Amino acid sequence: MRKLFTLFIVFAMSIKFLAAQCEISVNEVDPFDSTRLVVAKPIPVGYQIPSQYTMPDGNFKMIEEGKILFTYAENDTINSFFMTLALAEHSFFSIEEGFKVWLLLSNERVVGLYDVPDKGEFDKSTNMRIFQHTCLVPIDMYYVLTYLKVEKIRIEYKGYKKTLEILPQQQDALKEAIRCVGEAVGLYPIKP
């Protein structure tokens, strides 16, 4: 009986320790319009790629292929989760509005996220254009993303498609960030 009790205490403490690992970078309410914003720490995704910035030794500066920022915004007109994907691209592309970001989940299901237009911004430190894909994540998809991992992301530019490989440790970090944002706003875990 004593061993069982000790095992229960250790299990409970490990769950509390795992829950304490959430890293939220912003959790605040705007005093002007009462918008609540909860933002997880950015997650680097993909591989290290060469930028178009040449270092003094002649080599190209290596950069992260992309970053994902998972957020939640709430006010009197909006109450949604968003996933923002920032990608460094070697060329200029056009992003059209619509279902242009596709996620390949760990159960081999492919789901589309609605993207908004962006023309990208030139980054002097990489000599590349950084495109920002801001996607609406419906509440039912949010709960799917807390359960399944994102293995790959396909982005559809006008006339060009890019597939972003999410490495296993990045998959875990992204799933944790998604869970943490929901926990911070009281929507995860689901309480009956």
Side-chain angles (χ1 to χ4, degrees):
M1 182 68 170
R2 183 174 259 178
K3 287 183 181 180
L4 183 61
F5 180 73
T6 305
L7 183 61
F8 175 75
I9 294 297
V10 169
F11 179 71
M13 290 176 70
S14 65
I15 288 176
K16 184 173 174 94
F17 175 74
L18 287 174
Q21 291 180 344
C22 287
E23 293 187 44
I24 300 293
S25 61
V26 175
N27 188 354
E28 62 186 35
V29 176
D30 187 313
F32 293 101
D33 62 7
S34 299
T35 299
R36 181 176 185 199
L37 185 64
V38 178
V39 182
K41 296 252 185 207
I43 308 295
V45 290
Y47 296 103
Q48 292 283 314
I49 61 170
S51 70
Q52 293 182 338
Y53 183 84
T54 308
M55 303 292 283
D57 63 1
N59 293 322
F60 289 107
K61 180 180 180 181
M62 298 299 286
I63 61 168
E64 296 167 341
E65 195 170 2
K67 287 190 179 186
I68 294 180
L69 194 66
F70 200 81
T71 62
Y72 175 82
E74 175 183 18
N75 66 17
D76 58 347
T77 58
I78 193 167
N79 183 9
S80 297
F81 290 99
F82 296 92
M83 182 166 33
T84 303
L85 176 62
L87 290 176
E89 297 289 359
H90 291 280
S91 301
F92 177 79
F93 299 109
S94 177
I95 301 173
E96 296 177 343
E97 183 176 346
F99 288 92
K100 302 295 180 183
V101 175
W102 300 89
L103 308 178
L104 175 65
L105 304 178
S106 56
N107 67 348
E108 298 182 5
R109 179 178 166 199
V110 176
V111 295
L113 297 178
Y114 195 85
D115 196 2
V116 297
D118 183 48
K119 294 183 181 182
E121 184 176 314
F122 185 75
D123 180 24
K124 292 179 184 177
S125 68
T126 61
N127 285 339
M128 297 174 75
R129 192 165 285 275
I130 307 298
F131 289 92
Q132 183 174 308
H133 303 272
T134 304
C135 303
L136 178 66
V137 179
I139 191 76
D140 60 334
M141 183 52 56
Y142 166 77
Y143 288 112
V144 168
L145 293 176
T146 62
Y147 180 70
L148 299 173
K149 295 179 182 178
V150 178
E151 293 183 348
K152 293 182 182 182
I153 299 176
R154 162 76 54 90
I155 295 95
E156 293 180 0
Y157 296 101
K158 187 175 183 180
Y160 173 71
K161 294 179 184 176
K162 178 176 185 167
T163 302
L164 185 66
E165 181 92 22
I166 311 297
L167 304 175
Q169 66 273 19
Q170 296 168 348
Q171 294 174 16
D172 294 335
L174 178 58
K175 185 177 171 184
E176 179 68 12
I178 292 168
R179 185 190 65 77
C180 286
V181 170
E183 192 174 275
V185 298
L187 294 173
Y188 181 87
I190 300 174
K191 297 175 183 146

